[in-house]
Amino acid sequence: MSNFVIVGAGECGARAAFALRDKGFEGTITLIGSETHLPYERPPLSKDALVAGAGPKFVAEPERYIEAGIDLLLGRTVSGIDRIAKSVVMADGTVAPYDKLLLATGARPRALSGTIHGGRIATLRSHNDATRIRAHLVEGSHVAILGAGFIGLELAASARRLGATVTLVEGLPRVLSRGVPAEIAEIVTKRHLAEGVEILCGAKVARVEELAGEVRILLDDGRVVSANLLVVGIGAVPNTELAQAAGLTVENGIAVDGLLRTSDPDIFAAGDCTSYPLPLYGDRRVRLESWRNAQEQGQLAAANMLGGVEAHAAVPWFWSDQYDMTLQIAGLADGAVTTVRREMGEEAFILFHLDAEGRLIAASGIGPGTAVARDIRLAEMLIAARAHPDPAALVANHVKLKSLLAA
Ligand code: FAD
């Protein structure tokens, strides 16, 4: 009987384990994860669940692992891969042999150099991090957030909902500089300012000091931000050390081909830890940190571990919720030469990004609730179809995007 081992019991690893069974795999499935919680969803950690102080939202209830015959080893860290013996070894010395191995080790927050995280300096990746941060999000407390990316901004919105004072410190000239158009970043900034968030852009941190009862962020222009807690949200780094030590190719993530195979044909990798070629964008190698990508790649890796030959071709997609606003981005906009705007009703719009040949390569939208969701979904289909829609039709909101798809 075959042994399949999955390292990393997050979104991607858990989805892969269930997909193996759904696709009829009858061998042993061992899912190993460092965290002690059952696999859970990370997006709520900075959003509603943080505000509510809720427990983890599990990918699946415990009985489903038993029903599916998945051996779930939690609180166990894999410390090495022996590619010759085809086994993984855990930190406690336990060895698990594999016929096929999936690395779904995810990513971890980038640390702020020169600081020791713990005490009054935190990052947000796990349920335990969220619990620790939430203890500080009370009226009268002041939280400083370093980095105005998605996690920093979502955390700022949640902190305001809980009554904490918030200062956002961003080194670049504006919020959301990575992959989000300035027009959308402007709406986001205005809303945070209206909600009472202090935003300091172009602010370079010279030093961070932890004192009794406070943390002080000294900026290089002499300004000082004093807070009860500093949350560092300056991006994530992929967990590639295991792969690297095993001699697998690593290139901004564990490098895989379109089928999610690493440089060892018996080892696959998927989710946040992985970089892969995207055919839609000329096989450009990308690494996504996105919930849907982790799900889709987990499922695809399972199919290909069973001998499938389907290449990953999904359009990248990401969403973020802040206050009552939802932002959605489909595709990659950085090769765009033309951007046109479709109004979607009050305070909602979508930007369509086209390349030099007029091909739709990305769409970014923002609005209250689900205002842009349906049309972003249709835009995603146009992107996948490599459509060259008429920009005037994209702007005219009486023209249904569905009709462009049919064309
Ligand atoms: P992870 O979820 O990181 O899981 C990897 C697991 O592997 C971890 O549990 C880790 O402990 C474990 N592991 C690592 N190394 C080892 C080892 N050696 N041995 C054993 N176990 C190991 N995406 C969106 O699209 N929209 C959102 O709004 C959004 N919000 C987010 C909010 C927050 C606060 C965070 C942190 C992420 C958010 N994301 C969002 C991103 C999304 O959650 C991730 O893309 C997704 O969780 C990636 O899943 P993964 O399984 O690849 O990695």
Side-chain angles (χ1 to χ4, degrees):
M1 195 172 352
S2 290
N3 284 323
F4 282 13
V5 172
I6 302 170
V7 182
E11 185 77 49
C12 180
R15 300 276 172 192
F18 285 109
L20 283 170
R21 279 289 180 254
D22 291 346
K23 290 174 194 307
F25 178 63
E26 289 179 349
T28 309
I29 303 171
T30 309
L31 177 58
I32 309 168
S34 301
E35 292 181 74
T36 48
H37 300 288
L38 283 178
Y40 60 90
E41 313 270 2
R42 292 185 202 279
L45 298 179
S46 46
K47 307 180 180 71
D48 287 351
L50 183 68
V51 176
K57 184 180 175 214
F58 296 132
V59 172
E61 292 306 316
E63 53 276 13
R64 282 202 50 216
Y65 294 87
I66 298 164
E67 281 160 21
I70 295 167
D71 297 333
L72 191 51
L73 305 183
L74 297 176
R76 309 281 282 278
T77 296
V78 171
S79 53
I81 303 169
D82 184 337
R83 285 171 55 197
I84 310 285
K86 292 185 70 172
S87 61
V88 299
V89 61
M90 290 168 239
D92 61 6
T94 313
V95 173
Y98 67 80
D99 293 293
K100 298 273 182 224
L101 173 65
L102 173 63
L103 300 175
T105 48
R108 61 180 180 275
R110 190 183 301 283
L112 178 64
S113 63
T115 59
I116 298 165
H117 291 202
R120 291 185 181 273
I121 305 177
T123 51
L124 177 53
R125 180 81 193 176
S126 66
H127 177 70
N128 292 348
D129 296 337
T131 304
R132 207 176 123 229
I133 290 169
R134 194 181 189 282
H136 290 268
L137 304 184
V138 290
E139 218 141 325
S141 170
H142 183 185
V143 57
I145 300 168
L146 182 59
F150 288 113
I151 289 183
L153 288 162
E154 289 185 357
L155 178 61
S158 297
R160 287 301 297 139
R161 284 169 67 190
L162 288 165
T165 301
V166 180
T167 302
L168 256 175
V169 178
E170 168 58 55
L172 294 170
R174 68 162 168 95
V175 309
L176 294 176
S177 339
R178 208 166 51 119
V180 178
E183 262 171 278
I184 289 187
E186 203 178 304
I187 305 282
V188 171
T189 303
K190 273 195 191 138
R191 181 60 187 274
H192 278 276
L193 291 173
E195 297 283 349
V197 175
E198 182 186 24
I199 303 180
L200 309 178
C201 284
K204 303 272 182 292
V205 176
R207 213 169 62 246
V208 172
E209 290 174 351
E210 255 193 281
L211 311 167
E214 68 168 346
V215 53
R216 299 175 76 213
I217 300 109
L218 292 89
L219 304 180
D220 69 354
D221 60 6
R223 283 179 293 177
V224 179
V225 178
S226 295
N228 300 99
L229 179 76
L230 167 64
V231 184
V232 177
I234 54 174
V237 284
N239 292 322
T240 56
E241 290 75 4
L242 262 186
Q244 186 117 38
L248 301 175
T249 306
V250 170
E251 209 183 318
N252 177 32
I254 305 169
V256 294
D257 64 10
L259 304 186
L260 307 180
R261 294 176 305 200
T262 67
S263 46
D264 179 326
D266 292 321
I267 307 180
F268 290 70
D272 279 20
C273 65
T274 302
S275 72
Y276 68 100
L278 244 183
L280 261 181
Y281 300 90
D283 279 336
R284 172 178 153 193
R285 183 164 287 280
V286 295
R287 187 177 70 78
L288 303 179
E289 288 165 16
S290 124
W291 174 81
R292 196 167 84 185
N293 180 63
Q295 289 195 349
E296 288 169 348
Q297 287 199 342
Q299 281 158 3
L300 186 66
N304 291 343
M305 286 164 85
L306 294 171
V309 287
E310 197 189 324
H312 184 82
V315 176
W317 177 83
F318 184 90
W319 95 98
S320 172
D321 296 330
Q322 295 162 41
Y323 309 106
D324 62 345
M325 296 183 301
T326 295
L327 188 163
Q328 291 200 19
I329 298 181
L332 302 176
D334 40 6
V337 296
T338 310
T339 295
V340 296
R341 172 167 165 154
R342 168 181 285 231
E343 300 301 332
M344 305 283 300
E346 216 176 307
E347 293 181 336
F349 62 88
I350 294 182
L351 301 173
F352 294 98
H353 310 280
L354 301 117
D355 70 7
E357 279 76 50
R359 195 185 116 199
L360 182 67
I361 54 171
S364 335
I366 189 163
T370 55
V372 299
R374 196 170 159 274
D375 277 358
I376 288 282
R377 178 76 195 123
L378 289 162
E380 213 183 302
M381 292 158 85
L382 286 165
I383 296 167
R386 298 171 192 253
H388 292 63
D390 176 4
L394 291 173
V395 172
N397 57 13
H398 61 272
V399 177
K400 295 216 175 322
L401 292 184
K402 216 171 176 177
S403 69
L404 302 181
L405 198 60

